[in-house]
Amino acid sequence: MVGTALSSNYPCIDVYQFCNWVKPRRKTRERERERERERRKRLSRRLILSVGIVFNLSLLGYFKYTDFLLENFNGIFDADIPLPHIVLPLAISFFTFQQIAYLVDSYQGQTKEYNLLTYMLFVTFFPQLIAGPIVHHKEMMPQFASRWNLVKNYRNIALGLFVFSMGLFKKVVIADTFAVWATAGFDTATTLNFFSAWATSLSYTFQLYFDFSGYTDMAIGAALLFNIKLPMNFNSPYKACDIQDFWRRWHMTLSRFLRDYLYIPLGGNRVGKYRNYLNLFAVFLLGGIWHGAGWTFVAWGALHGIALIIHRIWQEAGLRMNQYLAWFITFNFVNIAWVFFRAREWEDAFKVLRGMVGLDGVMLPVMFQFKFQFLTPYGVTFGKWLGAINGDTLLTPLLILIMVIATLGLKNSNQYLLQGAKLRTYFFGIAGTMAMLALWVMSQAGKSEFLYFNF
């Protein structure tokens, strides 16, 4: 009989009360074991993520920064460790960031299951491998898996050839033209007068933009031949009216990566004001180091970090500035900061900067000597004012023309991609661009420089 004594030697036990007492404890133990399994699973996944990130960064550090670290170690401790001069794998910085982004997204459960072949295609897709854009898995893998992309698309072929030819023209005709004067100013000239220094810095400013933008256009155009659409990476950055807007337009996929995988994990703007300033500075300091193994790259990143902090303080104070003045300040800051980005040594950077502020003299063309002779007592001389960089009569009008193209409201390649056009428009554009390119190549004998090989 339920509830009766089981034996005279034992107390009376109510079976219902006993079951009600045991079940909750059993469920509690099961919940604890489940929590322990989840905790171990999280630790295991976090360990795999950490190992993956450390492995990728270690490879990047070994190939890209070994010489830099050993050189500084030798300088600090007066050592004599030989530099190995390791050959840098092409595009290691780009595919390293791409793989780290995939690891983090996988850890956060934002990726689907993909086989190894699809993943390898994502990492090694050749159009964007060398110079970007830095693509996201959710932008690419669904396109690789789509059957519609296995069908010929003549509009994509025409648009791809059109954008590719635009990029090739930017690189071979515009960037390589300005490269001659930039190289002469930074690497060859011993001193630079005021106008030669400004011509040098502006030449590199436009060389870098049209080189990198040109390669991006070629990547986007080549990918379109396979019905693959790469993300926008440049949107007329020299039209920006503040430094934040500049980074929303320049190398947009790198800015996105730094925001999503560095700035936000550090706390972003959810932390206190001064911590937010520190986060901004740290992100761009690391961005400078990513671009190259040298203290001049560190200085370039630090300058942009400080500029963004000043811009944030300006916004928080509710201050406003005339749009044209804002553009003028932004463009000139970017132009001056590029001096550190381009200089191989500190001496090269200071040589250009000294000239830009007139410390090494001001020289005007001989044709102005009669009218401006009264300036001679103030240190103004007359002669070959751009002779230090072998500047001829083409340099000044070309700088003015490219300044107008890069900074005014002219269409860029992204707008052609978004707006679309008739097929014959693309083919006429391709034919015209390739004809100009062929004429230019036949008239030139110099070699082409790939700026982003070291990145």
Side-chain angles (χ1 to χ4, degrees), residues 242-244 247 263 273-285 301-317 333:
D242 60 67
I243 195 63
Q244 185 176 12
W247 279 105
Y263 178 68
K273 180 167 61 174
Y274 297 107
R275 174 71 182 278
N276 178 235
Y277 298 158
L278 181 62
N279 290 344
L280 285 171
F281 184 79
V283 166
F284 279 89
L285 189 66
L303 283 172
H304 276 272
I306 293 169
L308 279 158
I309 292 172
I310 294 173
H311 175 260
R312 184 63 56 87
I313 294 172
W314 182 276
Q315 281 187 321
E316 291 170 351
F333 168 79

Side-chain angles (χ1 to χ4, degrees), residues 8 13 20 55 89 100 161 164 205 218 295 340 379 393 411 418:
S8 58
I13 298 177
N20 291 335
F55 175 74
I100 289 174
L161 289 173
F164 184 90
T205 291
M218 285 189 277
W295 288 110
F340 292 96
T393 55
K411 281 186 179 182
L418 295 174

